[in-house]
Amino acid sequence: MTKKLIPLSHDALAPAVSISHVQTCIQNPYPESLAFIGQKRAQTALDFALGMDLPGYNVFVMGEAALGRFTMVKDKLEAHSKTRPTPKEWLYVNNYDDHREPIAMFMQAGQSKELADDIDEFLDEVSDTFPAAFDNPGYQRKKKSIDRHFDNKYDAALNAVEQLAADKSVALLEENNQVGFAPVVNGKQLDDAEFAALDEKMQGHFFEAIEGLEDALIEALIELPRWKRESSEKLRNLKKSTVEIATKPLIKTLEHKYANHIGVVRYLKDLRIEIVDAVLEWLDDDVSSEEGKDDFDSKGMLSDFFAPNILIEYKDGDAAPVVYEPNPTFGNIFGKVEYAASQGNLITSYRSIQAGALHRANGGYLIMDAEKVLANPQVWDGLKLSLKTHQIKNDLPYQDNSVGSSFTLRPQLIPLDVKIILLGSRDLYYTIGEYDEEFAELFRVLADFDYYLPSSDKMQYQFISKVQEYCDATLSCSLTAQALSRLLKFSYRQAEHQTKLSARFADVLELVAEASFYTKQDGETEITAEHIDEAIAGKQYRTGQLSENMLSDIKEGHTLIATQGNAVGKVNGLTVLHIGDTAFGTPARITATVYAGADGVIDVEREAELGKAIHSKGVMLLTGYLGNKYAQEFSLTLSANIAIEQSYGYIDGDSASLAELCGLISAITKLPINQSLALTGSINQHGEVQAIGGVNEKIEGFFKLCKMRGLTGEQGVIIPRSNLVNLVLDDEIIAASSAGRFHIYAVESVDEALNLLTGVEAGQSENGEYPPLSINGLALARLQHIADVVNGEDKEEDSDKESQ
């Protein structure tokens, strides 16, 4: 005889929270600083990774959102970064041998800014000195000497030609840097009219004389280009020496100051040479055109050519950097080169190199979301290459198409010393490990965040202290002991466990913040349990339109769900719908039909391609149960259809398999099922009822329907006994259960569920036989009869009787 099951007591429907313990925790805040609560496994993994300075010990933080992954990682890194030395500063300077390959240079903390200021001051002095230095009397005297030397040669050549012309009665004329000749008669230069009045013989004489003089002039001035080159060279050397004399002391001071830094010394050595040409090109009045001179920014030109480009700078004593990059594009990670348009072309320089997250985190830690990093294969490949080569990759493939054949840069690579922390889900971690062999070599440490926290007194103590700290610091309010008790129950509910708190502590803080809104509306400064309930109800209302519509459809008869009476082959199953960040339970009618045939148990959802793999597996197990339970002496032969009625979306999970089996056995035995009861649970082939998820939402979904129609005291829900530890039900259901108006039963086997649903004994097997009027006896007889009909044995028996 099957043991009669009694409803669960109200004490078993939710965990108990000790108000006295909560009050003690309020009065005595946790004595230690609490950066984070729980997650010892993940904290240990992070501590290990931070203590390992060897390559490859980067971290993958595995867990879902709202578990506090980022908060804990950031707090750990910031605490550990204070024990590490301040990283080096990195800057780029111009490569005067090849402007396409800027030179990377490192300095100690604070030195880059000091160098930049010194160079800026040096360039200011150069701009102030030139071109005024060329007006110096000493310079002008030497310049005049060079010009005079040239003029003397030029004048001597002209004087020789002029004397020769005088001997031939011809005058040498010089006007506007042009040299010409004119005939002279009786000491007077002839004009064109007077020359035309001369006789032909005289004219011929002068033509011949002038032609000879022109040849003589050419011969005399044949060295003029060389004289000019020599003069220009002397003048340029004079200017160079003037610039060198003016700038040498300035650079000498800088070289002495940075004598211990070989990179800066090399940079200043190049600067000493290049500044001379730059001054002559940009700051020489003789070279610069007067047009647009007022708009010429000499200091800006010098800065763009000589000033260092600081990528990263620190102050002495700064902690190692902790950088979070929320948008890990290629440019944001590895840096970028900015371009400007000039006369239809794109131009750039070493001063346009911008730092990326790897530059900012170099010498420290970089946090990124793994999913965003992997969304761009170039970013992932570039990150792996940088970690393997210990250099920051800086070739920018995404710019190739836009830049085309314009001037591009190939900056020197900067050494990389960084620890990468990727935040990602469990599924993503195992997917990367399966498809990328290098992943395990580069990310050797897994920090696994659990979904739950153990509900010990110490953990509750930390939970309460952390909530109080948040309220004091952020919300400027306090909580009552009843409110904190309600928050603990909320956390139990999030975890769906009576002995575990949810690790989604962010959800608790969100609820407290929303409760503070209602507290302020009431003009109070203390959050009460009523405010917490109001916040929960408010969110349910904001997100509950779909569940209310489904309940309304049942009320109006559009969706057929019975909560009273009895029916054959019909049972109330329980489902959970997940919409966005909310989940709610709703009942679903499951029907089964059985008839003679050999098609087996057909899953209508699967045939309609609405049932997914796990649900289909649950239906397939029914055949195994029927065969093992009843068909030991004959072939199991039947045709049966099972369907979840009025379901038009995809269905997954095996939590309906218990209800489907009960509906199927009802159809086989033709025993009616009590429609006041709904049930959920999965089964195995031996008829044992197994735990399912969403048990609280499922119970509450059926309770709302029964409450809407009126509680009769007969209604209730059947759940797996192994789900007892998951019960964290609303106070309203607990009150209804305590008053005997709604019942919750826990079963371990299919027989117990059938006994509750039909009111008939399931029946125990004795020598392979079941009591004839028991459920199992009726099922065995019906299945054997169907097998006989399908196999033709009934017809043979009937013909034997007729022949007798």
Side-chain angles (χ1 to χ4, degrees):
M1 185 176 190
T2 306
K3 179 182 177 182
K4 183 174 179 59
L5 292 177
I6 60 174
L8 297 174
S9 68
H10 66 278
D11 294 336
L13 303 184
V17 178
S18 172
I19 293 295
S20 61
H21 175 63
V22 173
Q23 290 174 334
T24 301
C25 295
I26 293 175
Q27 296 167 0
N28 303 282
Y30 199 74
E32 300 175 12
S33 176
L34 288 172
F36 201 82
I37 61 173
Q39 302 295 359
K40 290 297 182 183
R41 188 192 308 274
Q43 293 194 55
T44 301
L46 278 172
D47 290 337
F48 170 75
L50 296 179
M52 292 292 292
D53 291 331
L54 298 176
Y57 285 88
N58 299 294
V59 188
F60 190 99
V61 179
M62 184 171 70
E64 304 305 321
L67 293 179
R69 301 174 306 174
F70 180 79
T71 301
M72 190 185 84
V73 168
K74 191 169 184 291
D75 289 345
K76 282 279 186 184
L77 296 183
E78 288 180 347
H80 194 268
S81 67
K82 296 176 182 177
T83 66
R84 299 199 60 184
T86 304
K88 298 182 179 67
E89 298 179 329
W90 284 96
L91 58 156
Y92 277 109
V93 295
N94 204 349
N95 184 347
Y96 302 104
D97 293 330
D98 186 352
H99 297 303
R100 294 176 182 268
E101 298 184 358
I103 298 171
M105 189 167 64
F106 74 88
M107 301 190 77
Q108 299 302 321
Q111 291 183 347
S112 294
K113 182 66 167 59
E114 186 176 356
L115 174 64
D117 291 342
D118 288 341
I119 296 298
D120 189 64
E121 183 179 349
F122 166 74
L123 296 178
D124 279 337
E125 293 188 12
V126 170
S127 298
D128 294 340
T129 303
F130 297 96
F134 295 131
D135 295 331
N136 181 279
Y139 169 83
Q140 291 295 330
R141 186 173 59 256
K142 293 178 181 179
K143 179 183 178 183
K144 289 179 180 179
S145 174
I146 294 172
D147 293 340
R148 187 167 53 252
H149 182 71
F150 171 79
D151 292 341
N152 289 338
K153 287 186 176 182
Y154 182 76
D155 291 343
L158 288 184
N159 289 336
V161 175
E162 186 176 18
Q163 182 63 44
L164 182 61
D167 295 341
K168 295 184 178 182
S169 299
V170 176
L172 185 146
L173 306 177
E174 185 176 5
E175 185 177 359
N176 296 329
N177 293 326
Q178 297 291 326
V179 178
F181 297 94
V184 177
V185 176
N186 298 324
K188 179 184 177 183
Q189 295 182 11
L190 302 182
D191 58 20
D192 290 343
E194 291 173 336
F195 180 77
L198 297 176
D199 57 42
E200 293 182 0
K201 183 177 179 181
M202 184 63 69
Q203 288 181 355
H205 168 74
F206 279 115
F207 277 131
E208 183 178 353
I210 290 174
E211 183 176 354
L213 290 172
E214 287 177 345
D215 291 339
L217 179 63
I218 293 173
E219 183 68 23
L221 297 180
I222 195 170
E223 295 291 324
L224 182 62
R226 182 173 65 82
W227 299 340
K228 285 186 176 181
R229 286 197 303 272
E230 291 176 350
S231 178
S232 297
E233 185 66 24
K234 289 178 180 179
L235 183 60
R236 181 171 181 81
N237 289 335
L238 174 61
K239 290 181 177 181
K240 287 180 67 175
S241 64
T242 302
V243 175
E244 289 174 353
I245 292 172
T247 58
K248 184 176 180 180
L250 303 177
I251 296 179
K252 198 70 176 177
T253 301
L254 293 178
E255 288 178 336
H256 179 72
K257 181 176 181 179
Y258 295 98
N260 294 329
H261 197 299
I262 188 171
V264 177
V265 171
R266 290 175 180 173
Y267 162 59
L268 293 175
K269 180 180 178 181
D270 293 337
L271 180 62
R272 178 200 295 270
I273 299 172
E274 296 296 328
I275 192 66
V276 175
D277 293 334
V279 169
L280 295 181
E281 183 175 355
W282 297 327
L283 302 181
D284 186 358
D285 281 342
D286 295 339
V287 176
S288 303
S289 69
E290 294 296 329
E291 184 179 354
K293 185 175 180 181
D294 292 339
D295 298 330
F296 183 74
D297 183 9
S298 59
K299 174 63 185 308
M301 293 285 287
L302 291 174
S303 295
D304 287 343
F305 199 68
F306 294 108
N309 176 19
I310 302 175
L311 292 184
I312 302 297
E313 59 179 306
Y314 299 98
K315 295 179 180 178
D316 189 24
D318 280 354
V322 177
V323 177
Y324 171 64
E325 177 51 62
N327 183 27
T329 61
F330 200 100
N332 288 348
I333 295 296
F334 303 99
K336 62 185 73 173
V337 177
E338 293 181 344
Y339 289 80
S342 176
Q343 299 180 351
N345 293 319
L346 293 176
I347 61 173
T348 188
S349 73
Y350 75 101
R351 298 267 292 174
S352 298
I353 301 173
Q354 302 295 318
L358 282 177
H359 297 94
R360 299 194 305 273
N362 202 4
Y365 311 94
L366 175 60
I367 310 170
M368 294 182 290
D369 295 309
E371 186 175 0
K372 294 179 181 178
V373 173
L374 291 164
N376 188 337
Q378 290 180 340
V379 172
W380 178 239
D381 290 341
L383 183 62
K384 291 192 298 181
L385 181 60
S386 296
L387 290 175
K388 286 189 292 185
T389 60
H390 307 291
Q391 292 178 318
I392 300 177
K393 178 182 174 69
N394 62 13
D395 54 318
L396 309 178
Y398 72 95
Q399 289 188 348
D400 287 349
N401 294 332
S402 61
V403 174
S405 59
S406 300
F407 184 88
T408 57
L409 298 180
R410 296 186 298 274
Q412 283 187 358
L413 298 182
I414 292 177
L416 178 64
D417 175 22
V418 69
K419 197 172 287 290
I420 305 292
I421 294 89
L422 294 182
L423 309 177
S425 66
R426 193 173 301 274
D427 291 341
L428 183 59
Y429 174 78
Y430 292 115
T431 301
I432 303 173
E434 182 178 356
Y435 288 99
D436 194 329
E437 296 178 354
E438 296 174 319
F439 176 69
E441 299 178 8
L442 299 175
F443 291 85
R444 297 179 179 176
V445 180
L446 171 65
D448 190 358
F449 273 66
D450 199 355
Y451 296 101
Y452 311 107
L453 304 175
S455 178
S456 62
D457 287 347
K458 180 179 179 181
M459 192 59 65
Q460 289 187 7
Y461 195 1
Q462 294 181 352
F463 178 99
I464 292 169
S465 296
K466 196 67 177 173
V467 171
Q468 285 183 297
E469 178 186 324
Y470 173 75
C471 287
D472 293 339
T474 306
L475 304 178
S476 300
C477 60
S478 59
L479 298 98
T480 65
Q482 289 74 16
L484 284 166
S485 174
R486 188 67 185 86
L487 286 174
L488 283 168
K489 184 176 179 181
F490 172 79
S491 187
Y492 284 122
R493 176 58 182 266
Q494 292 290 92
E496 286 194 333
H497 207 283
Q498 294 187 357
T499 62
K500 295 178 181 179
L501 295 171
S502 171
R504 293 173 62 92
F505 193 69
D507 291 346
V508 175
L509 300 182
E510 178 184 337
L511 178 60
V512 175
E514 293 176 4
S516 70
F517 168 79
Y518 298 102
T519 304
K520 293 175 183 176
Q521 277 192 334
D522 294 340
E524 300 177 7
T525 59
E526 190 173 49
I527 300 174
T528 65
E530 289 73 20
H531 294 135
I532 300 293
D533 290 335
E534 195 173 358
I536 294 174
K539 184 166 186 177
Q540 289 176 347
Y541 177 75
R542 294 192 299 271
T543 61
Q545 182 172 351
L546 185 58
S547 63
E548 290 180 7
N549 290 344
M550 297 181 73
L551 199 62
S552 177
D553 288 343
I554 297 174
K555 180 180 180 180
E556 295 171 357
H558 296 159
T559 302
L560 301 179
I561 300 289
T563 55
Q564 294 182 22
N566 298 279
V568 174
K570 298 177 183 178
V571 64
N572 292 326
L574 297 173
T575 62
V576 172
L577 296 181
H578 295 272
I579 308 295
D581 62 344
T582 63
F584 59 89
T586 181
R589 171 173 283 184
I590 298 173
T591 62
T593 58
V594 175
Y595 49 91
D599 295 331
V601 179
I602 296 175
D603 178 11
V604 173
E605 310 303 326
R606 181 185 180 188
E607 296 299 317
E609 297 184 353
L610 291 177
K612 293 190 176 181
I614 298 178
H615 176 264
S616 299
K617 175 187 175 183
V619 176
M620 292 176 185
L621 289 176
L622 304 188
T623 302
Y625 173 80
L626 294 177
N628 179 65
K629 184 87 172 181
Y630 305 116
Q632 297 294 331
E633 303 296 335
F634 59 90
S635 174
L636 179 63
T637 308
L638 83 161
S639 290
N641 288 336
I642 296 178
I644 299 177
E645 302 292 353
Q646 295 183 283
S647 172
Y648 308 108
Y650 290 108
I651 297 172
D652 202 8
D654 60 352
S655 63
S657 57
L658 174 60
E660 290 167 338
L661 178 57
C662 291
L664 179 60
I665 291 180
S666 172
I668 292 172
T669 61
K670 299 182 181 179
L671 291 173
I673 288 178
N674 185 357
Q675 302 299 295
S676 298
L677 297 175
L679 72 162
T680 181
S682 69
I683 62 164
N684 58 29
Q685 296 184 86
H686 296 282
E688 296 171 322
V689 179
Q690 303 167 144
I692 45 83
V695 63
N696 296 295
E697 289 83 359
K698 292 176 179 178
I699 294 173
E700 290 166 1
F702 191 67
F703 175 79
K704 288 179 181 178
L705 173 60
C706 295
K707 178 186 174 185
M708 180 186 69
R709 290 179 171 175
L711 296 174
T712 64
E714 299 295 327
Q715 295 138 335
V717 172
I718 300 172
I719 64 170
R721 182 165 292 278
S722 51
N723 276 121
L724 286 180
V725 73
N726 305 116
L727 292 179
V728 189
L729 294 172
D730 284 344
D731 292 340
E732 186 179 14
I733 298 180
I734 296 175
S737 174
S738 180
R741 295 185 295 122
F742 192 79
H743 308 290
I744 299 171
Y745 301 92
V747 300
E748 294 180 329
S749 66
V750 174
D751 287 349
E752 290 179 344
L754 287 169
N755 177 244
L756 285 170
L757 292 170
T758 64
V760 178
E761 287 292 329
Q764 300 296 321
S765 173
E766 295 181 5
N767 299 323
E769 298 290 336
Y770 294 100
L773 298 181
S774 67
I775 297 174
N776 290 328
L778 293 173
L780 178 61
R782 178 77 192 284
L783 289 173
Q784 187 166 13
H785 174 71
I786 293 175
D788 291 341
V789 170
V790 173
N791 295 328
E793 295 181 9
D794 274 3
K795 293 181 180 180
E796 293 178 4
E797 292 178 2
D798 291 342
S799 62
D800 289 342
K801 290 179 181 179
E802 291 176 2
S803 63
Q804 292 176 356

